[in-house]
Amino acid sequence: MKICDELRQAVLQAAIQGKLTRQHKEDGDARDLLKQIEEEKAQLIKEKKIKNDKSLLPVSEEELLEIPDTWACVRVGKAFNLQAGKNINSSEISQIYTEGSYPCFGGNGLRGYVKKYNTEGHFPIIGRQGALCGNINLAYGKFYATEHAVVVTVFAGINSNFVALFMEALNFNQYATATAQPGLSVAKIDTVVFPLPPLAEQQRIVAKVDKLMAEIDELEKVENELIALKEAFPGDMKAALLQAAMQGKLTTQRKEDGNAKELLKQITEEKARLVKEGKLKKEKPLAEIGEDEIPFDIPENWEWVRLSQIVYNNGQAKPEDKFCYIDIGSIDNKNQRLASENNVIEASKAPSRARKIVKFGDILYSTVRPYLHNMCIIDREFPLTPIASTGFAVLSCFEGILNSYLFRCLMSPSFDDYANDNENSKGVAYPAINDEKLYKALIPLPPLAEQERIVAKLDKLLPLVDGLVEAQLMYDSLKETLQTGFGKTILAALITALGKAIYDSFSAWCVVVYLVVVILIYWRLRIYDKRRTEKQFNQNLNDYLNMMK
Amino acid sequence: MSASLGGFVKSVRNIMRQDPGVNGDAQRIEQLAWMLFLKVYDAKEQDWEIDEDDYVSIIPEACQWRNWAHDDFSGNAMTGDKLLDFVNITLFPTLKKLPVNPSTPIKKAIVQTVFTDANNYMKDGVLLRQLINLIDDIDFTDYEESHAFGEIYESILKELQSAGSAGEFYTPRAVTDFMAQMVAPKIGEEVADYACGTGGFLISWLKQLQPQIKTTEDREAYARSIYGIEKKQFPYMLCITNLLLNDIEMPKVYHDNSLTRKVLDYTDKDRADVILMNPPYGGSEKADIQSNFPKDLASSETADLFMAVIMYRLKETGRAAVILPDGFLFGNDNAKYSLKKKLINEFNLHTVIRMPGSVFAPYTSITTNILFFDKSQPTKSTWFYRLDMPEGYKHFSKTKPMKLEHFAPAMEWWSNRVEIADANEGSFKAKEFTAKELAELGYNLDQCGYPKEKKEILSPEDTMRNFVERRAELDKLMDDKLAKIKALMEELD
């Protein structure tokens, strides 16, 4: 739960206990105010304008609330007059306000606008139907209340804003019937005990709560930003690591690795050989890599290459026998892994998209919505021939290209930028990258040995990001506990309870146990000290930094 | 040399790596620094000998670079043990003990100052010879080359991987030049940079001022027109050397920490006509440094502290241009809020130029802004202008760095200020905000920013640093607000 939400509850709680205000003698006694209410009500009851409240029992000793001396405890039905509105056909309610229509209040506040009204004035309204029943709204002027909206009439000059505030604090929802459609009866609300301060103090409470709530709203903005910051961090961190890896910043460049130019030459020769042997199709010559295409600087012994220079295509085939079908559903896109179950399909029932030939070690990259990272490496054998959907690009790496390196590349932010760029992803409703664009994509190519080091480093670092998140969560929950004082409250309660036990029994053993427990508790508290958790978190970060050097 | 700068640094490192005496990058830097200094100083002395008839070098003849280091490839140049012995037994003791007294001109005393803390770590005379030859090949005679100093420093820093954590980024020349041009220096004015690094701003200032020199008095005023402080020894040495190259024979640049004086103690004589700065962000300082600042301005962020220093050290008639990260513009912790409030209420913050993200590429991708302000009057209104990437550029990089001409749209707009709306509704490339509007925005100066369609990918270090910093800021803000709420609850009425 957010600190702000807890604070709001705490403020309301303190308000109805008279802890937000000072009690002044000159405010008078709320019991006098009660008398005034009784007199006003008696007159109106006599005139049959409001319902009779005689049936309500006086507040018993056990029901008395903890309130200041100048306040009074009174049942809601005695202090106010509660009256539910009248049913209205939902067809009469319009969602749009038009000239001459009136707001219509139902069980959850404003329902819409209607052409007639049944109440006029300034009233708190209690919603009495639905999961949110007990919710409080304020209505002004002429409005229509449905049978699910309980209109609260106030007396003796009491302010409706004050009543709404206290009713919210009393949380009527706790009295709702535990049925599928929770509800509150007026009779039930009538019996709830209401703490009533003198008039002047009511005003001060409202002013004070308004001020505090405004501050809490400000606090909430900060808290929301903090939450968003923390939520975004693991993703940002992973992206940053992948990006740094692709720039050669996670690894040192070693002379003995040689350079990617030689590697590329070998691959090109190999390709030419395969074309000559008829194993590969001859490709159109590639466009030179333009200066403005290059997204970032790479180390000197690396090369920028187009994807098509380092991978080849297995081609397509129509399934002629039972086969294992790999489609987007076969991929766990949280972990970018291939699912362990096989989707076995008869050749006769093969979907028209089941065409792509797949080998062990190939990379499957979904060309539809590339940002979803529906991709995997074929890292296991299949009981039957695997065939992939044409929604994938199937990439087989030439020797000298580590499939796990290329895989990380395809996941990196700069590749995502390219693949999800509107110019490259055709069709806004169905963004996809076509094969031509995909194979033209630029890949930063390090020598083989460095590819291996990059993958090893990322394998070490990426899981650590999750570790960081765990440490973060622990830190947060503890900090929150300490901030809200919840931990301290428990502690104080324990110490008090034990102290009482000792007082009662007065045995030497109890004293010893008491002292040991107190010491233990303080020791625990020290361990959970917020600074320590903070330190631990920062330590984690440092380990992290060191590892990257 | 600029073109092969990376190559130069690489060769230097490769040579020194083979030497058994040099351990680690710190020693490598020190070794390089004194050698570069001697080379430059020698070049300078040759000029002075021509200019002044009775010029006498403080360095004994045998120890002058031209006489012991220069290799004419006649086979006579010292090498091996002979060279090593010369450096260790003759050169260093001599230069460390040069006769210096208070009346010695700075341009001479500097030699002794530089050598006081310098060491020769190299133990292999042959490698030392190779290194000397490499340095001797550099031609430090034009502006381009002398500005390359900063780049050398940066390249080495980058190798050290400390550029990020120390927060010292070399400010690209295009940016220092633009700022110097916009503050329009005049003869007789003094510029100050309280974290001057290798002196990039000071050089850009001098470059702007030089064409205005008409008389000998002008020349003297020109030579007196700079003031700098640098905390670190190595950039300090490079800065001095750099200024010597630019004919500032008595550079008023001090090896000191600008944050160690109480800001309230500054008097008029400590104040400058113009301040040009790119203060270090996220640098580390001892906590007690904060006690030198009024409570509402105390911060753990060095950029904030420097901003406070700037405000206290600007003359009543002064002007300033300062580079600050986006965090300063939107930050709402106590110190940043108070600084910005002060900036609006006591200074005339007339212009904020928002620079593109990769200006400091490849060292950091942090986005920065230039704040232009003076002390003429409280701010009436502030113009924000976003400088977009020049056409054809996706980002700046080592090979395609920012150039002065990329500021052309900003300069054109500068003298003819108009509101420019973006094609997308609601956002602006340039817009004027009144002081009242800014106050209502809670002094959030993050206006006319880049449309955030694409998320900038920072380095892992920057990502973590940003996260930790922002979290600390927000935590602090939460704590402050909670304390406020607590106080409000306790004050009963």
Side-chain angles (χ1 to χ4, degrees):
Chain A
M1 194 175 191
K2 291 204 305 195
I3 291 166
C4 285
D5 294 331
E6 288 186 34
L7 264 176
R8 286 196 187 96
Q9 285 182 5
V11 165
L12 289 176
Q13 191 60 29
I16 58 173
Q17 291 172 341
K19 287 179 180 166
L20 287 185
T21 39
R22 206 185 293 279
Q23 282 72 48
H24 296 304
K25 246 199 194 120
E26 57 271 32
D27 292 345
D29 194 309
R31 276 163 280 250
D32 297 331
L33 183 64
L34 261 186
K35 260 184 220 135
Q36 215 181 319
I37 294 171
E38 259 170 55
E39 282 163 23
E40 272 185 36
K41 281 190 85 178
Q43 183 60 34
L44 289 166
I45 291 168
K46 216 160 129 193
E47 293 170 17
K48 302 236 160 122
K49 282 191 177 150
I50 60 169
K51 66 182 181 188
N52 198 325
D53 59 11
K54 290 257 163 57
S55 57
L56 286 170
L57 298 169
V59 178
S60 71
E61 193 79 11
E62 297 85 67
E63 288 177 295
L64 284 177
L65 303 167
E66 265 183 54
I67 49 168
D69 295 340
T70 52
W71 293 27
C73 277
V74 58
R75 289 200 198 279
V76 168
K78 283 276 185 194
F80 314 102
N81 184 58
L82 270 52
Q83 181 64 54
K86 284 268 169 346
N87 180 28
I88 189 165
N89 196 317
S90 63
S91 64
E92 289 181 51
I93 304 171
S94 152
Q95 292 307 310
I96 308 147
Y97 175 80
T98 49
E99 190 86 18
S101 59
Y102 307 98
C104 172
F105 286 89
N108 285 317
L110 193 64
R111 276 192 66 185
Y113 300 91
V114 291
K115 289 286 177 208
K116 57 185 178 186
Y117 68 94
N118 58 6
T119 324
E120 184 175 2
H122 181 190
F123 299 97
I125 289 185
I126 308 165
R128 39 155 291 201
Q129 196 68 27
L132 298 171
C133 68
N135 67 80
I136 311 290
N137 282 283
L138 273 164
Y140 303 85
K142 294 170 182 167
F143 61 92
Y144 191 94
T146 74
E147 78 276 23
H148 294 147
V150 180
V151 180
V152 180
T153 313
V154 295
F155 307 99
I158 294 175
N159 183 304
S160 290
N161 291 341
F162 157 77
V163 177
L165 176 67
F166 265 42
M167 285 188 163
E168 200 180 327
L170 289 169
N171 180 21
F172 290 155
N173 186 266
Q174 61 184 305
Y175 308 111
T177 52
T179 48
Q181 175 68 284
L184 270 170
S185 66
V186 171
K188 179 75 205 172
I189 307 172
D190 271 340
T191 62
V192 176
V193 179
F194 189 93
L196 187 71
L199 268 184
E201 191 171 349
Q202 293 173 13
Q203 299 303 325
R204 292 203 302 278
I205 293 172
V206 172
K208 184 71 170 230
V209 171
D210 281 352
K211 241 194 209 166
L212 281 167
M213 291 300 179
E215 289 295 333
I216 294 171
D217 288 347
E218 285 297 305
L219 180 71
E220 189 168 29
K221 285 184 202 158
V222 183
E223 191 179 10
N224 285 342
E225 199 188 333
L226 195 57
I227 291 169
L229 181 80
K230 286 170 182 171
E231 277 175 357
F233 178 65
D236 289 354
M237 195 63 207
K238 284 183 180 172
L241 284 170
L242 282 168
Q243 189 70 357
M246 296 307 133
Q247 296 173 344
K249 286 179 178 168
L250 288 189
T251 38
T252 41
Q253 282 72 49
R254 295 186 192 156
K255 230 185 188 151
E256 60 268 31
D257 292 347
N259 64 53
K261 232 188 200 110
E262 295 159 18
L263 179 59
L264 198 59
K265 211 175 132 211
Q266 285 168 24
I267 293 172
T268 317
E269 283 165 8
E270 163 81 2
K271 209 174 189 174
R273 193 176 59 79
L274 289 170
V275 169
K276 214 172 164 190
E277 290 173 12
K279 288 181 183 157
L280 275 183
K281 263 195 277 179
K282 202 173 158 113
E283 283 171 346
K284 277 187 284 183
L286 291 158
E288 284 274 322
I289 295 173
E291 181 76 2
D292 56 335
E293 280 182 83
I294 293 174
F296 49 79
D297 291 335
I298 50 170
E300 276 174 25
N301 62 340
W302 292 27
E303 281 292 310
W304 279 110
V305 300
R306 295 204 188 274
L307 182 60
S308 59
Q309 287 176 273
I310 53 171
V311 297
Y312 59 92
N313 197 337
N314 299 327
Q316 300 195 359
K318 197 174 174 188
E320 284 166 359
D321 209 344
K322 248 199 206 171
F323 67 104
C324 287
Y325 185 43
I326 306 170
D327 66 354
I328 292 198
S330 319
I331 286 177
D332 160 15
N333 77 343
K334 258 201 186 111
N335 303 303
Q336 281 80 37
R337 292 289 304 258
L338 185 64
S340 51
E341 310 86 62
N342 292 313
N343 181 11
V344 178
I345 293 185
E346 298 284 342
S348 57
K349 287 177 185 158
S352 63
R353 306 197 92 199
R355 288 292 181 272
K356 293 229 170 174
I357 300 169
V358 171
K359 297 196 313 310
F360 185 85
D362 286 352
I363 295 172
L364 300 193
Y365 182 86
S366 167
T367 50
V368 179
R369 298 183 201 279
Y371 56 88
L372 291 176
H373 286 174
N374 278 311
M375 54 199 286
C376 70
I377 292 180
I378 302 298
D379 55 358
R380 65 177 173 90
E381 300 292 346
F382 294 85
L384 297 162
T385 317
I387 301 278
S389 153
T390 50
F392 291 111
V394 178
L395 312 171
S396 293
C397 295
F398 279 108
E399 201 173 317
I401 307 293
L402 214 55
N403 58 0
S404 48
Y405 170 77
L406 181 60
F407 192 70
R408 303 290 196 189
C409 244
L410 299 176
M411 279 171 68
S412 72
S414 68
F415 190 86
D416 261 354
D417 276 355
Y418 176 82
N420 294 301
D421 188 350
N422 277 343
E423 279 174 45
N424 294 318
S425 285
K426 277 197 182 152
V428 182
Y430 199 62
I433 177 168
N434 64 33
D435 276 11
E436 191 196 336
K437 296 271 179 190
L438 177 71
Y439 283 105
K440 252 175 70 184
L442 290 189
I443 303 289
L445 182 67
L448 182 59
E450 193 168 353
Q451 292 175 32
E452 282 165 3
R453 289 201 303 277
I454 289 171
V455 170
K457 190 124 226 187
L458 282 174
D459 281 348
K460 211 159 95 188
L461 287 173
L462 288 173
L464 270 179
V465 174
D466 298 320
L468 272 177
V469 177
E470 272 163 39
Q472 175 74 54
L473 285 177
M474 190 171 90
Y475 161 77
D476 285 348
S477 68
L478 288 169
K479 194 170 172 197
E480 204 169 300
T481 308
L482 289 169
Q483 263 173 352
T484 52
F486 177 65
K488 282 177 193 156
T489 315
I490 291 179
L491 191 68
L494 268 171
I495 293 173
T496 320
L498 273 161
K500 194 167 180 296
I502 292 167
Y503 180 80
D504 291 343
S505 63
F506 232 98
S507 96
W509 272 112
C510 277
V511 175
V512 173
V513 171
Y514 179 64
L515 286 175
V516 168
V517 170
V518 169
I519 290 165
L520 271 175
I521 288 171
Y522 275 108
W523 179 66
R524 292 296 291 175
L525 198 69
R526 256 175 58 82
I527 290 182
Y528 285 149
D529 188 278
K530 113 184 175 194
R531 267 163 305 178
R532 287 192 166 209
T533 12
E534 202 156 359
K535 209 167 145 196
Q536 187 193 336
F537 182 66
N538 289 340
Q539 180 66 42
N540 262 352
L541 276 181
N542 280 337
D543 292 350
Y544 214 69
L545 274 170
N546 289 336
M547 221 173 301
M548 270 188 304
K549 276 179 191 159
Chain B
M1 186 202 64
S2 298
S4 62
L5 193 74
F8 170 76
V9 172
K10 210 177 223 172
S11 318
V12 165
R13 205 175 46 238
N14 282 342
I15 292 173
M16 283 199 266
R17 263 189 189 152
Q18 299 168 45
D19 193 288
V22 193
N23 280 317
D25 288 314
Q27 291 187 356
R28 233 168 268 161
I29 282 178
E30 222 182 299
Q31 180 83 25
L32 189 60
W34 69 257
M35 295 175 82
L36 277 171
F37 173 80
L38 277 186
K39 156 82 181 161
V40 168
Y41 195 77
D42 187 61
K44 244 18 245 181
E45 283 199 301
Q46 298 189 14
D47 289 352
W48 295 334
E49 279 160 18
I50 297 167
D51 293 347
E52 303 168 36
D53 290 339
D54 52 352
Y55 181 82
V56 181
S57 173
I58 190 170
I59 306 177
E61 212 160 302
C63 294
Q64 287 177 320
W65 179 274
R66 66 192 95 152
N67 294 327
W68 67 270
H70 183 64
D71 187 353
D72 55 7
F73 299 100
S74 61
N76 296 331
M78 285 186 284
T79 183
D81 288 346
K82 198 176 163 205
L83 177 62
L84 207 58
D85 284 348
F86 170 76
V87 169
N88 290 335
I89 299 168
T90 313
L91 184 70
F92 265 74
T94 312
L95 298 185
K96 276 177 194 277
K97 288 190 200 118
L98 286 176
V100 169
N101 59 48
S103 64
T104 313
I106 296 181
K107 74 174 177 189
K108 289 187 176 178
I110 193 78
V111 180
Q112 197 254 350
T113 314
V114 166
F115 273 85
T116 310
D117 290 330
N119 292 296
N120 174 45
Y121 293 104
M122 290 183 74
K123 284 186 175 156
D124 185 319
V126 177
L127 290 173
L128 184 59
R129 165 50 61 194
Q130 287 178 15
L131 188 58
I132 288 170
N133 285 353
L134 204 60
I135 292 169
D136 199 38
D137 276 347
I138 310 175
D139 183 15
F140 284 121
T141 46
D142 70 349
Y143 177 73
E144 297 286 325
E145 300 264 310
S146 59
H147 225 290
F149 258 125
E151 287 181 43
I152 294 181
Y153 178 49
E154 271 306 309
S155 315
I156 298 168
L157 264 189
K158 187 165 181 287
E159 298 302 327
L160 274 171
Q161 291 257 323
S162 66
S165 58
E168 335 167 14
F169 303 115
Y170 159 77
T171 315
R173 181 164 34 119
V175 181
T176 59
D177 281 355
F178 170 71
M179 287 164 69
Q181 200 169 330
M182 290 300 120
V183 298
K186 284 191 272 297
I187 292 280
E189 287 179 333
E190 184 192 72
V191 70
D193 183 347
Y194 303 111
C196 65
T198 54
F201 279 110
L202 305 179
I203 302 291
S204 287
W205 165 273
L206 293 172
K207 193 182 156 204
Q208 284 295 317
L209 206 53
Q210 197 159 30
Q212 299 180 29
I213 301 173
K214 302 234 160 53
T215 63
T216 15
E217 290 85 55
D218 287 355
R219 184 161 294 282
E220 279 165 23
Y222 165 84
R224 279 196 313 270
S225 71
I226 54 119
Y227 179 93
I229 296 179
E230 174 50 44
K231 188 181 153 189
K232 300 208 163 161
Q233 167 77 10
F234 180 65
Y236 169 70
M237 247 150 73
L238 287 184
C239 180
I240 293 279
T241 320
N242 210 346
L243 286 165
L244 283 177
L245 275 172
N246 280 274
D247 296 328
I248 303 298
E249 292 170 12
M250 288 185 270
K252 281 183 287 175
V253 176
Y254 303 92
H255 184 201
D256 198 358
N257 184 346
S258 309
L259 301 175
T260 48
R261 257 181 86 181
K262 291 213 180 310
V263 287
L264 294 171
D265 291 349
Y266 287 118
T267 59
D268 252 352
K269 68 173 170 45
D270 302 309
R271 300 200 168 100
D273 297 303
V274 175
I275 295 175
L276 293 176
M277 270 189 85
N278 179 15
Y281 321 136
S284 54
E285 289 287 349
K286 285 190 218 136
D288 61 359
I289 276 274
Q290 292 187 32
S291 64
N292 296 326
F293 294 83
K295 216 177 158 203
D296 57 333
L297 304 183
S299 166
S300 55
E301 167 57 88
T302 47
D304 295 350
L305 296 179
F306 271 105
M307 196 57 195
V309 169
I310 292 166
M311 289 180 178
Y312 280 96
R313 297 194 76 165
L314 192 63
K315 273 191 186 157
E316 289 302 316
T317 53
R319 322 189 281 291
V322 182
I323 301 180
L324 287 168
D326 278 2
F328 181 83
L329 299 196
F330 63 71
N332 48 3
D333 57 79
N334 283 343
K336 287 191 185 71
Y337 183 87
S338 308
L339 280 167
K340 288 188 279 186
K341 195 173 166 186
K342 199 174 162 74
L343 192 58
I344 301 285
N345 294 336
E346 297 172 32
F347 295 79
N348 174 26
L349 175 69
H350 53 84
T351 314
V352 176
I353 302 281
R354 317 232 25 193
M355 288 196 286
S358 50
V359 169
F360 289 84
Y363 309 112
T364 174
S365 43
I366 194 162
T367 38
T368 52
N369 310 277
I370 314 174
L371 277 63
F372 290 91
F373 55 95
D374 59 50
K375 229 183 159 181
S376 58
Q377 59 185 26
T379 306
K380 281 194 184 120
S381 67
T382 304
W383 272 101
F384 290 81
Y385 178 87
R386 185 184 71 228
L387 183 66
D388 288 320
M389 271 289 165
E391 218 160 291
Y393 277 73
K394 272 186 191 146
H395 47 81
F396 299 115
S397 64
K398 212 165 169 177
T399 47
K400 291 198 302 183
M402 189 170 196
K403 295 182 189 139
L404 186 58
E405 66 233 41
H406 296 148
F407 277 108
M411 291 188 205
E412 201 173 294
W413 171 86
W414 187 277
S415 46
N416 179 27
R417 299 188 172 200
V418 283
E419 186 172 295
I420 307 169
D422 283 326
N424 303 338
E425 281 169 60
S427 67
F428 293 86
K429 178 181 166 73
K431 191 173 168 30
E432 187 177 22
F433 287 77
T434 64
K436 194 168 156 260
E437 284 169 329
L438 292 174
E440 277 161 9
L441 288 164
Y443 300 105
N444 180 0
L445 303 182
D446 186 14
Q447 310 299 338
C448 298
Y450 291 86
K452 290 217 174 73
E453 26 179 72
K454 233 191 257 167
K455 208 168 170 190
E456 185 89 37
I457 302 293
L458 302 174
S459 71
E461 289 89 345
D462 282 346
T463 307
M464 281 192 274
R465 200 181 59 233
N466 279 356
F467 172 71
V468 171
E469 274 173 16
R470 188 68 188 140
R471 188 192 57 187
E473 263 176 46
L474 291 171
D475 272 350
K476 176 87 187 1
L477 212 55
M478 287 279 288
D479 289 348
D480 291 350
K481 290 210 183 288
L482 284 171
K484 197 174 169 193
I485 291 170
K486 186 161 175 271
L488 199 59
M489 281 175 87
E490 280 163 2
E491 139 204 327
L492 304 176
D493 44 26

